[in-house]
Amino acid sequence: MNDSLTSPSHDGAPDEGRSSRLAPQDELTPRQIVAELDKYVVAQDDAKKAVAIALRNRWRRQQVQEDLRDEIMPNNIIMIGPTGVGKTEIARRLARLAGAPFVKVEASKFTEVGYVGRDVESIVRDLADISINMVRTEREDEVQEAAEERVEERLLDLLLPTSEDSAAPLPGFVVSRTEAQDSDEDELKERRKRTRDKLRKLLRDGKLETKEIDIEITQSNFPVIEFPGMEGMDYNVSEMLQDMMPKKSKRRSVTVAEARRVLLGDELDKLVDMDDVVNEALDRVEQMGIVFLDEVDKIAGERGPAGGPDVSRGGVQRDLLPIVEGSNVQTKYGMVRTDHILFIAAGAFHMAKPSDLIPELQGRFPIRVELKSLTEQDFVRILTEPKNALLTQYRALIETEGAALEFTDNGVAEVARIAADVNQRMENIGARRLH
């Protein structure tokens, strides 16, 4: 595997001006992935290499012949290190780079089935929700321009209503048309077109934003209700009841700016095929989903005495096991297979060791990476090097006031020294201390 990280054929970091998802996965080599992670996370090279290879292996698996593809399982990773050293940021940036649905959950929030607490299958349901929102946003971006054009036409119709209804003849009467009438109609249409063009220009220039117009808004008489314990059903009960209840249209007077927002939502709903969104989103969950399981050290250890605080630690691990090793989970969008979701577990492991996890769960995280505590020199780099560095953020904030903020090297070094010193004397919270 090391050849893909060191081979001279994979030279150069990705260009600075490109988006967070730099290229299709077939173009993202491990070296490029690491170079992108270097822009946001200081040090922790071993962890970056591990996740880079894991991401590249996903593309490699897609190239394997189909009869073998399903047999290749992801190599889940367990990150061991203190808080604030970059574990979450590495996983989050990796997901953003790959355009993959990503969810971070804390293992300590779950309890064994039979106890009050979150069900572990909710991890997959949350991942499906995130994927749906991600794909829907992408689809909306694709049709945004067409939707805005439709909204503009609807706003013009509201600003300049037609007068055809008032000019219609009474039933039972035949009106003969004359050339004069036809000429008047042509002139009326031309005048109306000129007026509409003027309104269009005013609308595009933003000069009608505060003008009030009347629009029809559809309201549901049934409030949205979440039913506890029914998250895994194939449908959302509250949505089903909403569909059954009669819809009530209400005419409201709103500003053009508010009407544009309401109408844009309507047009996007019409243009986006939700069936296609759901199919793409669930496929993305199954093939590209990333789950970051934090605080996994807090569920390590055997079951404690009945009624004690550790009563469900072992139970949570056993509940997690089927999800991690691969099972079917029912969501309101359909069934999701977890076989190829990448799980990245993390924990400080101060009070426990990875070997304290049940053997079956340990076996599902074959790659272990230890992240180092950050030094004073690392703090200096964190303050200055990343694209989203704290000093860059503060400069941008002060610029909004028309002032310029400069930091001397001595000042930066002193901030880093104080942060490192306080971390040693008090609780070590890593780079978070720099805030």
Side-chain angles (χ1 to χ4, degrees), residues 28 32 54 91 111 173 186 275 286 309 339 373:
L28 282 173
Q32 289 176 312
T111 59
F173 288 84
D186 291 342
D275 289 336
E286 293 182 343
D339 301 63
S373 295

PDB file of all heavy atoms in Angstrom, residues 28 32 54 91 111 173 186 275 286 309 339 373:
ATOM      1  N   LEU A  28      -8.399  10.960  -7.243  1.00  0.00           N
ATOM      2  CA  LEU A  28      -7.847  11.298  -5.937  1.00  0.00           C
ATOM      3  C   LEU A  28      -6.920  10.185  -5.457  1.00  0.00           C
ATOM      4  O   LEU A  28      -7.368   9.137  -5.020  1.00  0.00           O
ATOM      5  CB  LEU A  28      -8.976  11.512  -4.929  1.00  0.00           C
ATOM      6  CG  LEU A  28      -9.712  12.850  -5.010  1.00  0.00           C
ATOM      7  CD1 LEU A  28     -10.906  12.843  -4.083  1.00  0.00           C
ATOM      8  CD2 LEU A  28      -8.781  13.994  -4.658  1.00  0.00           C
ATOM      9  N   GLN A  32      -2.704  12.909  -2.806  1.00  0.00           N
ATOM     10  CA  GLN A  32      -3.534  14.109  -2.958  1.00  0.00           C
ATOM     11  C   GLN A  32      -4.494  14.276  -1.782  1.00  0.00           C
ATOM     12  O   GLN A  32      -4.752  15.387  -1.335  1.00  0.00           O
ATOM     13  CB  GLN A  32      -4.316  14.034  -4.268  1.00  0.00           C
ATOM     14  CG  GLN A  32      -3.448  14.215  -5.505  1.00  0.00           C
ATOM     15  CD  GLN A  32      -4.262  14.029  -6.778  1.00  0.00           C
ATOM     16  OE1 GLN A  32      -5.005  13.067  -6.910  1.00  0.00           O
ATOM     17  NE2 GLN A  32      -4.119  14.953  -7.705  1.00  0.00           N
ATOM     18  N   ALA A  54      -7.931   4.262   3.069  1.00  0.00           N
ATOM     19  CA  ALA A  54      -9.298   3.738   3.204  1.00  0.00           C
ATOM     20  C   ALA A  54     -10.220   4.332   2.150  1.00  0.00           C
ATOM     21  O   ALA A  54     -11.055   3.635   1.563  1.00  0.00           O
ATOM     22  CB  ALA A  54      -9.828   4.036   4.611  1.00  0.00           C
ATOM     23  N   ALA A  91     -11.774  13.062   9.977  1.00  0.00           N
ATOM     24  CA  ALA A  91     -12.895  12.299   9.428  1.00  0.00           C
ATOM     25  C   ALA A  91     -13.861  13.202   8.666  1.00  0.00           C
ATOM     26  O   ALA A  91     -14.349  12.855   7.588  1.00  0.00           O
ATOM     27  CB  ALA A  91     -13.626  11.571  10.552  1.00  0.00           C
ATOM     28  N   THR A 111     -27.594   3.325  24.582  1.00  0.00           N
ATOM     29  CA  THR A 111     -27.726   2.352  25.661  1.00  0.00           C
ATOM     30  C   THR A 111     -28.184   1.033  25.081  1.00  0.00           C
ATOM     31  O   THR A 111     -28.740   0.976  23.975  1.00  0.00           O
ATOM     32  CB  THR A 111     -28.738   2.815  26.724  1.00  0.00           C
ATOM     33  OG1 THR A 111     -30.002   3.017  26.104  1.00  0.00           O
ATOM     34  CG2 THR A 111     -28.290   4.094  27.401  1.00  0.00           C
ATOM     35  N   PHE A 173     -74.566  35.200 -25.436  1.00  0.00           N
ATOM     36  CA  PHE A 173     -74.406  36.328 -26.346  1.00  0.00           C
ATOM     37  C   PHE A 173     -73.242  36.050 -27.289  1.00  0.00           C
ATOM     38  O   PHE A 173     -72.201  35.547 -26.880  1.00  0.00           O
ATOM     39  CB  PHE A 173     -74.124  37.626 -25.579  1.00  0.00           C
ATOM     40  CG  PHE A 173     -75.338  38.153 -24.855  1.00  0.00           C
ATOM     41  CD1 PHE A 173     -75.677  37.674 -23.596  1.00  0.00           C
ATOM     42  CD2 PHE A 173     -76.149  39.118 -25.439  1.00  0.00           C
ATOM     43  CE1 PHE A 173     -76.787  38.148 -22.933  1.00  0.00           C
ATOM     44  CE2 PHE A 173     -77.256  39.589 -24.768  1.00  0.00           C
ATOM     45  CZ  PHE A 173     -77.595  39.117 -23.512  1.00  0.00           C
ATOM     46  N   ASP A 186     -54.529  44.207 -30.120  1.00  0.00           N
ATOM     47  CA  ASP A 186     -53.098  44.138 -30.417  1.00  0.00           C
ATOM     48  C   ASP A 186     -52.350  45.247 -29.687  1.00  0.00           C
ATOM     49  O   ASP A 186     -51.260  45.030 -29.142  1.00  0.00           O
ATOM     50  CB  ASP A 186     -52.857  44.253 -31.924  1.00  0.00           C
ATOM     51  CG  ASP A 186     -53.345  43.020 -32.666  1.00  0.00           C
ATOM     52  OD1 ASP A 186     -53.528  41.979 -31.999  1.00  0.00           O
ATOM     53  OD2 ASP A 186     -53.554  43.100 -33.878  1.00  0.00           O
ATOM     54  N   ASP A 275     -38.077  10.634  -5.986  1.00  0.00           N
ATOM     55  CA  ASP A 275     -37.772   9.204  -6.115  1.00  0.00           C
ATOM     56  C   ASP A 275     -36.321   8.997  -6.534  1.00  0.00           C
ATOM     57  O   ASP A 275     -35.621   8.117  -6.020  1.00  0.00           O
ATOM     58  CB  ASP A 275     -38.714   8.547  -7.129  1.00  0.00           C
ATOM     59  CG  ASP A 275     -40.136   8.433  -6.607  1.00  0.00           C
ATOM     60  OD1 ASP A 275     -40.312   8.428  -5.370  1.00  0.00           O
ATOM     61  OD2 ASP A 275     -41.073   8.367  -7.431  1.00  0.00           O
ATOM     62  N   GLU A 286     -24.915   3.491   1.286  1.00  0.00           N
ATOM     63  CA  GLU A 286     -24.402   2.123   1.299  1.00  0.00           C
ATOM     64  C   GLU A 286     -22.981   2.015   0.763  1.00  0.00           C
ATOM     65  O   GLU A 286     -22.180   1.215   1.261  1.00  0.00           O
ATOM     66  CB  GLU A 286     -25.330   1.221   0.484  1.00  0.00           C
ATOM     67  CG  GLU A 286     -26.700   1.040   1.119  1.00  0.00           C
ATOM     68  CD  GLU A 286     -27.592   0.105   0.321  1.00  0.00           C
ATOM     69  OE1 GLU A 286     -27.295  -0.152  -0.870  1.00  0.00           O
ATOM     70  OE2 GLU A 286     -28.589  -0.374   0.881  1.00  0.00           O
ATOM     71  N   PRO A 309     -23.580   2.691  36.782  1.00  0.00           N
ATOM     72  CA  PRO A 309     -23.469   3.538  35.588  1.00  0.00           C
ATOM     73  C   PRO A 309     -22.980   2.791  34.359  1.00  0.00           C
ATOM     74  O   PRO A 309     -23.176   3.244  33.242  1.00  0.00           O
ATOM     75  CB  PRO A 309     -22.467   4.612  36.024  1.00  0.00           C
ATOM     76  CG  PRO A 309     -21.670   3.973  37.123  1.00  0.00           C
ATOM     77  CD  PRO A 309     -22.621   3.069  37.825  1.00  0.00           C
ATOM     78  N   ASP A 339     -23.086  -2.986   5.098  1.00  0.00           N
ATOM     79  CA  ASP A 339     -21.870  -3.781   4.869  1.00  0.00           C
ATOM     80  C   ASP A 339     -20.668  -2.942   4.466  1.00  0.00           C
ATOM     81  O   ASP A 339     -19.527  -3.251   4.848  1.00  0.00           O
ATOM     82  CB  ASP A 339     -22.122  -4.839   3.784  1.00  0.00           C
ATOM     83  CG  ASP A 339     -23.247  -5.784   4.158  1.00  0.00           C
ATOM     84  OD1 ASP A 339     -24.392  -5.311   4.309  1.00  0.00           O
ATOM     85  OD2 ASP A 339     -22.992  -7.001   4.285  1.00  0.00           O
ATOM     86  N   SER A 373      -0.163  13.844  21.137  1.00  0.00           N
ATOM     87  CA  SER A 373      -0.536  15.110  21.775  1.00  0.00           C
ATOM     88  C   SER A 373       0.168  16.256  21.062  1.00  0.00           C
ATOM     89  O   SER A 373       1.290  16.104  20.555  1.00  0.00           O
ATOM     90  CB  SER A 373      -0.146  15.101  23.252  1.00  0.00           C
ATOM     91  OG  SER A 373      -0.873  14.124  23.958  1.00  0.00           O
TER      92      SER A 373
END
